[in-house]
Amino acid sequence: MGTKGAETRQRMIEATRSSIERRGYFGTGLNQILTDSETPRGSLYFHFPGGKDELVAAAVTQACGLIDNALDEADFTDPAGAVAGLIALLADRLEASGWENGCPVATVALEISGTNDTVRQACAQVYSRWTEAIRIVLRAAGHRDAEDLAVALLALVEGALLLARTHRSRDPLDRAARVARTLL
């Protein structure tokens, strides 16, 4: 695939990621993705022969980079501070978007986990990757229960994002940051 093809594919993935985060899987239409990405219909099936499911799975996988980048930049010599920083980043992002940009994976995972195995697997891989990244850091910091703690922290952050988005308030995320400090 040439540079132009790669750029077209990337625009489609970015438009899909933005849409599924705000509107979910079922609220994201292919026509809107094509309009937002300024791509012709033929490009969809050229780059994503599996259609919407393949495109959404690619967008979910790419969305993983948001947390990956934050984890890469965090100072994990202080795990509690690093988690609080991650939560603050997500809170800032959510608030700046008018309460639309929560977790780029959660909305889709909640909608389709029981009915669409392709997209469910993409969501599961992202969550596994995040859990593993947190576990490695916690283990390095000396937490013997790092696996359980990593799952609990991810669940705490995901739940707080959902509540913050629903209430249109940072308060659930601020509380989650305080609880994360207690856990760590």
Side-chain angles (χ1 to χ4, degrees), residues 17-176:
R17 186 200 46 76
S18 177
S19 184
I20 61 174
E21 186 171 3
R22 291 185 163 142
R23 297 178 197 96
Y25 179 86
F26 295 113
T28 296
L30 292 177
N31 288 335
Q32 189 63 50
I33 291 169
L34 294 172
T35 298
D36 292 348
S37 64
E38 299 177 344
T39 54
R41 181 166 295 281
S43 293
L44 173 66
Y45 296 104
F46 176 78
H47 292 290
F48 302 98
K52 182 178 178 179
D53 290 350
E54 184 179 346
L55 178 56
V56 169
V60 165
T61 300
Q62 188 178 80
C64 184
L66 169 72
I67 304 299
D68 286 350
N69 292 340
L71 291 172
D72 287 345
E73 294 176 14
D75 173 17
F76 278 105
T77 57
D78 172 20
V83 171
L86 174 63
I87 292 171
L89 170 99
L90 293 169
D92 291 345
R93 184 174 177 275
L94 179 59
E95 190 171 27
S97 72
W99 310 104
E100 290 186 349
N101 291 341
C103 175
V105 179
T107 303
V108 172
L110 288 168
E111 281 185 326
I112 56 81
S113 63
T115 60
N116 184 318
D117 205 46
T118 300
V119 178
R120 181 203 59 78
Q121 286 178 354
C123 293
Q125 288 172 354
V126 170
Y127 282 136
S128 293
R129 189 164 149 185
W130 289 344
T131 302
E132 180 63 8
I134 296 167
R135 186 200 65 77
I136 288 169
V137 168
L138 294 174
R139 176 70 69 198
H143 289 277
R144 292 168 58 170
D145 58 347
E147 180 72 29
D148 291 344
L149 197 50
V151 171
L153 287 168
L154 183 57
L156 177 69
V157 172
E158 287 292 332
L161 277 168
L162 175 63
L163 292 172
R165 191 171 179 188
T166 301
H167 292 293
R168 295 182 178 261
S169 168
R170 292 177 68 107
D171 185 59
L173 288 159
D174 294 340
R175 290 173 186 262

Side-chain angles (χ1 to χ4, degrees), residues 4-19:
K4 185 177 178 184
E7 289 171 2
T8 299
R9 185 178 195 283
Q10 185 58 34
R11 282 196 322 269
M12 292 171 68
I13 291 171
E14 288 174 11
T16 303
R17 186 200 46 76
S18 177
S19 184

